[in-house]
Amino acid sequence: MAREIRVGGCVLRLSQGDITACRTDAIVNAANSTLMGGGGVDGAIHRAGGPAIVEECAKIPAGPHGRCPTGEAVATGAGRLAARFVIHTVGPVWRGGGKSEEELLASAYRNSLLRAVEKKCASVAFPSISTGAYRFPIEKAARIAAAAVKDFLAEHRAPREVLFVLFSAEDLAVYERILEPLAQDSLTE
Ligand code: AR6
């Protein structure tokens, strides 16, 4: 099963573990629109990073759709984490597929990568956005995540390294299966 693909001189790699331990330039947070913290990976990032992150989030002006609308992304410092930046993005809540969930999930990945490039990050780590509390089906989400990152790397040739950090062995196996045909393509491109 595929653990990585190479695109435009960059690499997309899979790993299993706790994203708060990642030493990439940026880690992505699967946040909610308030940016004021929550459960899951969001809670873990704020706990490990300390209060500096939420203090910086609170300074981002709140609009009618919160501080960060669904599909958008904003960067802050990373407090006590080893990463330099946390990129907070808001994935869609899965409501059956008729509410532009797939497009919004792809936007969350794309906008996170744009923030990473703006901050000149050479490496960025993503959790599996929307597939926990927001209940996005994991297979569909993995396919969208991999395609969005692959297309971005082909166009921008940056960041040099993108990591998907899956929390469970089951989730890792799904992503490996999804990456397999893309890995075959990347050998022949
Ligand atoms: N490292 C990597 N992945 C993790 C970690 C970790 N430390 N902890 C959990 N995951 P979720 P969502 C995985 O629910 O679905 C929050 O309350 C988890 O197993 O964190 O986008 C926010 O404030 C799952 O595979 O994010 C929002 O309200 C994946 O991360 C809401 O949840 C995403 O699960 C966002 O829901």
Side-chain angles (χ1 to χ4, degrees), residues 17-19 30-32 37-42 44 128-134 167 171:
D18 178 354
I19 201 167
N32 60 65
V41 71
D42 193 7
S128 180
I129 297 164
S130 282
T131 63
Y134 283 179
F167 209 38
D171 287 355

Side-chain angles (χ1 to χ4, degrees), residues 59-84:
K59 290 183 188 145
I60 298 165
H65 303 291
R67 291 183 163 81
C68 184
T70 303
E72 299 290 331
V74 297
T76 66
R80 297 192 296 254
L81 295 170
R84 285 161 50 218

Side-chain angles (χ1 to χ4, degrees), residues 94-166:
W94 180 258
R95 300 187 197 281
K99 303 277 183 199
S100 305
E101 292 97 324
E102 301 196 12
E103 293 83 349
L104 289 165
L105 186 62
S107 291
Y109 280 93
R110 271 198 307 273
N111 284 317
S112 298
L113 289 166
L114 280 174
R115 296 297 90 76
V117 169
E118 285 162 13
K119 296 288 186 189
K120 306 200 184 320
C121 294
S123 56
V124 53
F126 282 91
S128 180
I129 297 164
S130 282
T131 63
Y134 283 179
R135 302 182 314 274
F136 206 110
I138 181 99
E139 296 250 358
K140 232 187 250 299
R143 201 165 285 120
I144 291 164
V149 171
K150 182 179 181 228
D151 291 350
F152 188 96
L153 296 180
E155 184 183 346
H156 297 265
R157 300 184 164 261
R160 221 173 46 228
E161 184 185 11
V162 178
L163 215 55
F164 284 166
V165 181
L166 289 319

